[in-house]
């Protein structure tokens, strides 16, 4: 049985239409008109225990609205969502004990007291047994390096420190599911990597299910086995990353450094006979973009090596953000994708 089940879920928001001028304002007092915006439009998916799922889409696509319905903050307009066999908005107190939530731009910690005091307050809120609390504090402090700032007031923390403390707070009560909304936004590379390693460790050791929304495609590639892509409130894709890349990211870039620089232009011209997409010379190296379905790297290397000696070469696959950008482009041209 699925841990999270979303069936034909829809959410509409009602917004008042304000008429112009004094006369319009008077009319609004007696006869208010409204317009309706559909943020989430008849979506369905299932998430099993232990999965790390990336929930992706551009701004305004409906990601946060879906997360808020799964958390229990918003009530669906139509359809249903159940999390751990509970309807979130109807069972908020019980549901809150089974989930952890981290929103990148907000904190659940108390602003003016030290991190340790905030965590202790959460111990009492969730009625966490002493042994469980002590064990989790020790584990999370080691993995997230909380020791360096645990006695500092939350308002004095850097963004990276606060995010690590928020992750600790969200997982103190051993939730089955962790909802992460932009958990690495604005963080430096070192802190991002630390948080990613922590999420992978918790998922591996405790089988914690993770639902992640992010614009950082490194998060997706390093954490997620599955992605759900949403645009204009509708699901465009639901599946594994490798299939997504095969369909929309079948091109690669091979960068070649020949032994003699004067060979660059000659080599570029000779590649015109092959079915490559683009060639350019950059930093005394030859960059060749090609579609893996039309030609492979060995064919290109064989052609190059028949003409010149090679010092080094690298192959760069298509980035996931480029893959999703192409999906958006195709979606805008053809309507909803059927995959």
């Amino acid at each position: 049985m699925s841990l999270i089940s979303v069936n034909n879920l829809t959410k509409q928001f009602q917004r008042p239409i304000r008429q112009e001028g004094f006369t319009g304002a008077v009319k609004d007092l007696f006869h208010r008109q409204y317009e309706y915006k559909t943020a989430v439009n008849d979506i369905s998916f299932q998430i099993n225990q232990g999965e790390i799922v990336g929930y992706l889409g551009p701004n305004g696509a409906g990601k946060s609205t879906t997360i808020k319905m799964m958390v229990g903050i918003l009530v669906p307009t139509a359809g249903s969502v159940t999390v751990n066999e509970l309807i979130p908005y109807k069972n908020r107190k019980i549901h809150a004990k089974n989930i952890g939530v981290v929103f990148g731009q907000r904190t659940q910690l108390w602003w003016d007291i030290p991190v340790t005091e905030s965590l202790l307050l959460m111990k009492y809120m969730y009625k966490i047994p002493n042994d469980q609390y002590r064990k989790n504090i020790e584990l999370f402090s080691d993995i997230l390096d909380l020791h360096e700032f645990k006695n500092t007031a939350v308002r004095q923390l850097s963004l990276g420190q606060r995010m690590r403390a928020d992750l600790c707070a969200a997982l103190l009560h051993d939730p089955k599911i962790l909802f992460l909304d932009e958990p690495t936004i604005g963080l430096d590379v070192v802190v991002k990597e630390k948080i990613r390693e922590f999420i992978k460790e918790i998922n591996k050791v405790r089988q914690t299910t993770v639902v992640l929304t992010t614009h950082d495609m490194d998060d997706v590639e390093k954490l997620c086995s599955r992605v759900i892509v949403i645009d204009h409130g509708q699901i465009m894709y639901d599946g594994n990353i490798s299939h997504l890349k095969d369909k929309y990211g079948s091109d690669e870039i091979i960068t070649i450094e020949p032994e003699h620089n004067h060979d660059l232009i000659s080599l570029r011209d000779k590649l015109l006979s092959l079915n490559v997409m683009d060639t350019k010379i950059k930093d005394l190296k030859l960059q060749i973009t090609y579609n893996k379905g039309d030609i492979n790297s060995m064919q290109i290397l064989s052609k190059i090596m028949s003409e010149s000696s090679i010092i080094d070469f690298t192959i760069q696959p298509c980035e996931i953000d480029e893959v999703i950008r192409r999906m958006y482009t195709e979606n805008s041209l053809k309507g909803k994708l059927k995959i």
Side-chain angles (χ1 to χ4, degrees), residues 109-131:
L109 303 172
W110 281 263
W111 199 243
D112 292 310
I113 62 175
V115 172
T116 50
E117 296 297 322
S118 281
L119 298 177
L120 196 58
L121 282 170
M122 301 202 76
K123 172 185 182 293
Y124 293 113
M125 285 175 56
Y126 284 101
K127 299 178 181 178
I128 303 171
N130 290 332
D131 288 346

Side-chain angles (χ1 to χ4, degrees), residues 147-164:
H147 306 287
E148 62 185 62
F149 57 85
K150 66 181 182 180
N151 294 315
T152 305
V154 173
R155 60 183 168 79
Q156 294 177 321
L157 300 180
S158 68
L159 180 59
Q161 290 172 333
R162 200 204 77 204
M163 187 59 61
R164 281 142 62 190

Side-chain angles (χ1 to χ4, degrees), residues 71 86 91-100 126 173 175:
V71 169
L86 296 173
N91 304 273
R92 285 193 174 100
K93 288 185 178 180
I94 301 174
H95 180 56
K97 293 180 180 180
N98 294 326
I99 66 170
Y126 284 101
H173 57 293

